[in-house]
Amino acid sequence: VQLVESGGGLVQPGGSLRLSCTASGSIYRLNTMGWYRQAPGKQRDLVAQISTEGSTNYADSVKGRFTISRDNAKNTVYLQMNSLKPEDTAVYYCNAEIRQYFYIPQENYWGRGTQVTVSS
């Protein structure tokens, strides 16, 4: 199983970016997907999560600015980031709970991360 992120980059404060993450490989069931971020010298924190049914959960710092969504047919999760602030600068990691085969429990997978830099 692989999680591949895309969409990071450099953006000015107040700007927008859209991150994408696609899961590939042997996947029996793709459960909760989410985005985490890690700034230099800090721990990795949850940004947003979305269940298979579409229930969402956001960090307080991004509520009202970020929107998480998913396309189950494409095994893809998105993070629309608006009104970006310098403090949003971090490496953003995709996370997914995946069950590869029906006879084994789900496992937690991570992408390699994509850099988001908010600066003028």
Side-chain angles (χ1 to χ4, degrees), residues 46-87:
L46 174 68
V47 175
Q49 281 182 319
I50 184 167
S51 70
T52 306
E53 297 78 17
S55 297
T56 59
N57 178 40
Y58 294 94
D60 288 343
S61 59
V62 306
K63 283 180 181 177
R65 300 189 298 122
F66 291 10
T67 302
I68 190 170
S69 61
R70 64 189 286 170
D71 185 332
N72 291 330
K74 296 181 179 179
N75 287 346
T76 298
V77 63
Y78 306 97
L79 186 68
Q80 178 66 44
M81 305 185 293
N82 300 327
S83 302
L84 282 160
K85 305 175 181 180
E87 51 264 43

Side-chain angles (χ1 to χ4, degrees), residues 3-10 17 19-20 34-48 62 66 79 81 84-95 110-118:
L3 299 179
V4 179
E5 302 108 331
S6 62
L10 172 65
L17 282 175
L19 305 183
S20 301
W35 292 94
Y36 288 70
R37 67 186 181 187
Q38 187 168 19
K42 296 189 176 182
Q43 66 181 19
R44 189 176 299 186
D45 291 325
L46 174 68
V47 175
V62 306
F66 291 10
L79 186 68
M81 305 185 293
L84 282 160
K85 305 175 181 180
E87 51 264 43
D88 294 317
T89 296
V91 178
Y92 283 69
Y93 295 91
C94 178
N95 175 268
W110 292 93
R112 292 188 175 185
T114 184
Q115 177 70 46
V116 171
T117 302
V118 185

